[in-house]
Amino acid sequence: MTDLTETRSMLKKLAMAHGAETAIGRACHNLLEMTENYAKAIGADQRQNLRTNIEREKTRLNELVSQAH
């Protein structure tokens, strides 16, 4: 299993554990969508924008998870 596949699997499990309609669930789904788009991205600019957005959303998700525990 690749790192991305493992990461996507963990995001799905986290979203299911917290519920899709929670801030954590929405952040997980945002990251799932962005990683899917990243895999399909053609241009370097598009990939860079997605990397920036992915990092921002990862930070947000980490903060949400920390607050939940």
Side-chain angles (χ1 to χ4, degrees), residues 14-31:
L14 185 61
M16 288 179 6
H18 288 272
E21 297 302 318
T22 65
I24 290 174
R26 287 189 297 272
C28 290
H29 287 288
N30 288 344
L31 283 165

Side-chain angles (χ1 to χ4, degrees), residues 36-48:
E36 184 177 329
N37 290 339
Y38 184 84
K40 296 175 185 176
I42 297 171
D45 288 343
Q46 186 179 23
R47 283 182 175 252
Q48 181 57 46

